[in-house]
């Protein structure tokens, strides 16, 4: 046994020493932690990790010359749906769930994850397959094994809701049909715990819930909704998630869902378009991350209003003021797009423009998709930064996004794990 261990150690040591080194010559390099942009820096990579950053050149097996580019860490999108392709209307959603097979949606998903990577997002958190089972787990495996190209993935498999409170509505179809659902429905605390356990067993990294529904605007301009869970149900979900050393993400639009989700242990609030000051204070005090998903609301608002649901237009009218107030009160902002809720052919970096137009500096906006997003995922120092010991997830642009945030909509060069995917 000792001889076997010694031989194995020698093999591993030789393998590590044989890893090729790459030296990247950077024209400009962004330190996302400090916001400082340095010129003429050299990044040394060995295998899939960054070894050092210095102003002096060092020996390497190969050199990549990015001396005419702005270089920064790969971006992180904390809210995607890789097996959705846009759903302005309920019909758009129903067609995907009812008329497209899960294998077909998985094939389309391979294109989505590749597109995310080429957009410069080297890491994503995917929040629900919306009727496509555990396809996200398979896509993650395929990326990790090198079968397809894509970003690092954290997945949530099937989101959880209560019985009868999420599409597809049986009453819209012949009642004798047994229609699939876009998520897992539960009734009662025991079913809630079972759902969490089942999803973790299937490979969920995060647990996601839909905390509220039936959004409406009051005469004073504030928003309310109907909570989806009883206190016992949502508490059981939160407790089981935390005991399993996982984290809880909550789709929640108003105080009725947001406060219940936070009290149950949610780490992130998704959308939150109708939050009020009490929500903001609670989120700031507890360090809860907010993924506001701004562009998708604009994308769906007009089409849904034409079909008789104006709530997204109402959110659109008030979200700028809500955003500014939340930032002023110290709510932690993490970049999340909800892409898949809108077409994958549209810009994944569009939300940065809202952030800057509504008060963040360009560097602060970039930090929401780098250092802050890395913290949300518990990956500080490994992603979202170019530093020794971090994964070699690096992007380069011809334009400087610290001066023009729209530059992030055209990433010119992408490396993930020390391998170049876009050149």
């Amino acid at each position: 046994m000792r001889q076997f261990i010694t031989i194995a150690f020698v093999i591993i040591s030789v393998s590590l020493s044989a890893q090729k080194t790459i030296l990247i010559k950077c024209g400009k390099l962004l330190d996302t932690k400090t916001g400082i942009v340095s010129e003429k820096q050299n990044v040394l990579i060995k295998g899939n990790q960054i070894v050092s950053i210095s102003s002096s050149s060092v020996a390497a097996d190969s050199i990549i010359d990015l001396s005419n580019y702005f270089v920064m860490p790969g971006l992180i999108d904390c809210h995607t749906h890789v097996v959705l392709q846009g759903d302005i209307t309920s019909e758009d959603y129903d067609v995907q769930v009812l008329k497209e097979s899960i294998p077909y949606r998985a094939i389309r998903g391979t294109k989505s994850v590749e597109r995310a990577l080429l957009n410069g997002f080297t890491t994503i958190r995917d929040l629900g397959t919306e009727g496509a089972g555990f396809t996200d787990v398979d896509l993650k495996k395929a990326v990790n094994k090198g079968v397809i190209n894509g970003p690092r993935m954290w997945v949530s498999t099937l989101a959880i809701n209560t019985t009868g409170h999420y599409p597809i509505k049986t009453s819209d179809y012949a009642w004798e049909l047994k229609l699939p659902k876009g998520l897992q429905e539960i009734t009662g605390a025991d079913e809630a715990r079972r759902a969490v356990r089942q999803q973790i067993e299937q490979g969920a990294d995060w647990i996601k819930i839909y905390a509220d529904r039936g959004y409406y605007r009051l005469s004073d301009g504030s928003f309310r909704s109907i909570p989806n869970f009883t206190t016992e149900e949502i508490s059981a979900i939160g407790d089981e998630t935390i005991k399993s050393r996982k984290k809880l993400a909550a789709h929640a639009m108003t105080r009725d869902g947001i406060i219940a989700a936070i009290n149950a242990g949610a780490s992130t609030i998704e959308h939150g378009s109708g939050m009020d000051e009490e929500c903001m204070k609670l989120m700031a005090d507890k360090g809860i991350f907010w993924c506001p998903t701004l562009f998708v609301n604009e994308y769906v608002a007009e089409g849904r209003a034409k079909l008789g649901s104006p709530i997204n237009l109402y959110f659109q009218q008030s979200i700028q003021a809500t955003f500014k107030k939340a930032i002023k009160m110290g709510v932690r902002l993490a970049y999340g797009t909800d892409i898949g809720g809108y077409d994958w052919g549209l810009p994944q970096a569009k939300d940065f423009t809202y952030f800057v137009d509504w008060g963040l500096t360009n560097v602060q906006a970039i930090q929401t998709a780098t250092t802050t997003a890395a913290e949300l995922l518990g990956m500080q120092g490994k992603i979202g930064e170019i530093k020794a010991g971090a994964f070699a997830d690096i992007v380069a642009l011809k334009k400087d996004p610290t001066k023009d945030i729209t530059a992030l909509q055209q990433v010119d060069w992408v490396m993930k794990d020390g391998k170049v995917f876009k050149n």
Side-chain angles (χ1 to χ4, degrees):
M1 180 62 75
R2 285 184 180 179
Q3 184 181 12
F4 174 77
I5 292 172
T6 302
I7 293 171
F9 178 76
V10 170
I11 292 172
I12 292 169
S13 299
V14 170
S15 176
L16 290 174
S17 63
Q19 287 181 337
K20 299 292 186 180
T21 55
I22 301 171
L23 187 69
I24 300 178
K25 294 186 173 182
C26 308
K28 292 182 178 180
L29 179 66
L30 174 63
D31 182 334
T32 49
K33 200 77 173 177
T34 64
I36 295 172
V37 177
S38 302
E39 296 191 0
K40 297 181 179 179
Q41 297 294 298
N42 298 297
V43 179
L44 182 64
I45 294 165
K46 187 173 185 178
N48 71 337
Q49 290 195 331
I50 296 168
V51 176
S52 64
I53 299 97
S54 66
S55 57
S56 57
S57 186
V58 296
D61 295 307
S62 61
I63 295 174
I64 296 175
D65 188 359
L66 297 178
S67 55
N68 292 321
Y69 289 81
F70 185 98
V71 180
M72 58 182 285
L75 298 167
I76 304 165
D77 189 338
C78 294
H79 191 133
T80 67
H81 294 280
V82 295
V83 288
L84 268 184
Q85 306 297 329
D87 60 322
I88 295 176
T89 68
S90 58
E91 183 178 356
D92 294 335
Y93 184 88
D94 290 8
V95 163
Q96 293 180 74
V97 178
L98 298 179
K99 293 187 177 181
E100 295 181 358
S101 71
I102 292 177
Y104 180 76
R105 293 181 66 191
I107 292 168
R108 298 187 77 183
T110 65
K111 294 297 184 182
S112 301
V113 295
E114 182 178 37
R115 182 162 282 170
L117 181 61
L118 297 181
N119 285 341
F121 288 86
T122 53
T123 300
I124 62 173
R125 181 181 61 149
D126 200 65
L127 289 182
T129 64
E130 301 290 349
F134 305 104
T135 301
D136 52 353
V137 178
D138 287 334
L139 289 168
K140 175 183 173 179
K141 287 178 182 177
V143 169
N144 291 345
K145 290 175 184 266
V147 177
I148 60 174
N149 295 334
R152 301 176 187 280
M153 293 179 68
W154 274 257
V155 300
S156 66
T157 61
L158 304 175
I160 301 172
N161 203 338
T162 43
T163 303
H165 294 153
Y166 196 74
I168 291 168
K169 291 175 63 178
T170 303
S171 58
D172 289 338
Y173 296 88
W175 60 264
E176 64 267 34
L177 296 176
K178 183 68 174 178
L179 297 172
K181 289 284 186 176
L183 39 60
Q184 185 169 3
E185 294 183 321
I186 61 96
T187 295
D190 287 346
E191 288 188 8
R193 288 188 185 277
R194 181 187 295 273
V196 174
R197 293 172 184 175
Q198 288 175 332
Q199 293 192 37
I200 293 173
E201 179 189 19
Q202 293 287 351
D205 302 304
W206 280 68
I207 297 298
K208 181 190 176 181
I209 59 170
Y210 282 86
D212 55 8
R213 69 185 192 281
Y215 319 114
Y216 58 98
R217 186 176 63 175
L218 298 175
S219 58
D220 64 0
S222 64
F223 295 93
R224 299 300 298 265
S225 60
I226 305 169
N228 282 332
F229 298 93
T230 65
T231 301
E232 292 75 19
E233 288 168 338
I234 198 170
S235 297
I237 291 171
D239 180 64
E240 197 64 40
T241 300
I242 293 166
K243 282 199 307 188
S244 301
R245 297 182 181 177
K246 301 295 183 182
K247 292 183 178 179
L248 179 64
H251 167 117
M253 288 292 192
T254 83
R255 61 177 287 115
D256 302 283
I258 293 170
I259 293 175
I262 292 173
N263 288 340
S267 296
T268 68
I269 296 300
E270 312 303 315
H271 316 300
S273 304
M275 69 170 66
D276 60 18
E277 288 189 16
E278 184 179 349
C279 297
M280 297 172 193
K281 185 177 187 308
L282 188 61
M283 292 171 70
D285 290 346
K286 289 182 173 288
I288 308 300
F289 295 92
W290 179 33
C291 296
T293 65
L294 301 172
F295 174 58
V296 71
N297 188 78
E298 179 182 330
Y299 176 79
V300 303
E302 187 174 341
R304 292 182 181 179
K306 287 179 179 178
L307 293 175
S309 178
I311 190 63
N312 292 96
L313 279 180
Y314 298 155
F315 286 146
Q316 195 67 18
Q317 293 163 7
S318 60
I319 189 59
Q320 181 175 347
T322 300
F323 180 92
K324 290 181 175 180
K325 188 176 291 185
I327 299 307
K328 185 176 181 179
M329 291 183 68
V331 174
R332 306 204 66 193
L333 189 68
Y335 193 83
T337 60
D338 203 15
I339 192 168
Y342 67 89
D343 193 288
W344 275 94
L346 296 173
Q348 195 170 355
K350 178 70 173 178
D351 280 58
F352 289 115
T353 305
Y354 295 92
F355 290 1
V356 172
D357 287 347
W358 296 351
L360 296 189
T361 67
N362 289 30
V363 168
Q364 287 173 332
I366 292 168
Q367 286 171 333
T368 68
T370 51
T371 52
T372 305
E375 188 175 347
L376 181 152
L377 293 172
M379 292 290 289
Q380 306 96 305
K382 300 302 292 183
I383 59 176
E385 294 182 69
I386 296 177
K387 60 176 289 187
F391 290 120
D393 295 355
I394 300 171
V395 300
L397 309 89
K398 292 178 181 176
K399 294 181 180 179
D400 183 344
T402 67
K403 296 178 180 178
D404 178 6
I405 200 66
T406 64
L408 293 174
Q409 296 181 31
Q410 182 55 58
V411 172
D412 299 289
W413 184 92
V414 176
M415 169 183 279
K416 191 198 97 176
D417 255 344
K419 180 181 178 181
V420 176
F421 288 90
K422 185 177 184 179
N423 197 354

